[in-house]
Amino acid sequence: MNSTIKLIIFDVDGVLTDGTLLVGSDGTEYKGFNTQDGMGISLARFAGIKTAIITGRKSNAVDKRANELSIDYVYQGIHHKVHCLEEMIQELGIRSEEVCYIGDDLNDIPILNLVGFPCCPSNAVELVKSKSNYVSTAAGGKGAVREILDYYLATYFDYELLVEQFIESKKEIKQ
């Protein structure tokens, strides 16, 4: 695994959510996001890592959650995710080896094959698991993202110091 991940990209359904799609009678789509995953994303951003979402579906819920977490890039309705990856690495001036991607299903395989740290939740399909450098013990939408991010941050950062600085930065904002 590359110790200089500069961009983390998340799929949504099955990764940031448990994959359940709730659709109201008015057509509004509802998704359940894990708050601990959100804290992990905030901590990774605090560590200086850019974040992105690339998902095949379109949902206002994704826009709202991405805005709450200050996700740097959000691409929805994308069926060829590699193109988005190529655009982001060109814009950021990084290499694909400096990217972590977290996906769970067959449409994620092309991008998983290109990045330096491919990951997936425990409930990903078997072929995705075989392409991943890290398979979480948690399922998608149930803390998988947090587990993956904690693993990476604890491996390549002084995790306790990072958390201490993160907490201090939040105190300063509230004062």
Side-chain angles (χ1 to χ4, degrees):
M1 175 190 3
N2 191 319
S3 64
T4 57
I5 295 298
K6 296 181 178 169
L7 173 65
I8 301 168
I9 305 173
F10 311 97
D11 180 31
V12 175
D13 297 316
V15 173
L16 290 173
T17 75
D18 68 4
T20 301
L21 295 175
L22 300 174
V23 181
S25 60
D26 64 354
T28 301
E29 189 171 290
Y30 299 91
K31 296 180 184 288
F33 296 94
N34 184 291
T35 58
Q36 290 182 343
D37 286 348
M39 182 64 76
I41 292 168
S42 295
L43 188 59
R45 285 186 39 74
F46 182 78
I49 302 170
K50 297 282 187 192
T51 54
I53 288 173
I54 303 176
T55 182
R57 298 184 60 84
K58 290 183 181 179
S59 169
N60 290 335
V62 171
D63 284 332
K64 180 167 178 28
R65 187 64 175 148
N67 186 54
E68 289 172 352
L69 296 173
S70 301
I71 301 287
D72 297 296
Y73 301 90
V74 179
Y75 297 94
Q76 295 196 68
I78 303 300
H79 301 290
H80 302 288
K81 296 179 178 187
V82 170
H83 178 70
C84 287
L85 169 67
E86 291 168 346
E87 285 181 1
M88 284 185 282
I89 62 175
Q90 184 174 355
E91 181 179 326
L92 292 169
I94 63 175
R95 301 180 326 269
S96 60
E97 295 83 20
E98 297 172 308
V99 177
C100 168
Y101 182 82
I102 307 172
D104 72 307
D105 217 334
L106 301 178
N107 60 329
D108 296 311
I109 291 173
I111 199 167
L112 287 165
N113 285 333
L114 293 176
V115 300
F117 188 37
C119 302
C120 69
S122 64
N123 61 326
V125 298
E126 289 305 315
L127 190 54
V128 167
K129 289 179 182 180
S130 74
K131 304 286 184 183
S132 295
N133 288 1
Y134 188 93
V135 178
S136 69
T137 59
K142 305 292 182 189
V145 167
R146 178 64 176 271
E147 179 184 331
I148 292 164
L149 296 178
D150 280 353
Y151 168 79
Y152 178 80
L153 294 171
T155 301
Y156 293 101
F157 290 80
D158 180 336
Y159 187 75
E160 288 188 27
L161 179 60
L162 180 66
V163 169
E164 183 180 307
Q165 291 171 340
F166 177 77
I167 292 169
E168 280 301 313
S169 75
K170 299 302 177 192
K171 286 180 184 176
E172 292 172 11
I173 292 171
K174 290 181 181 178
Q175 293 178 355

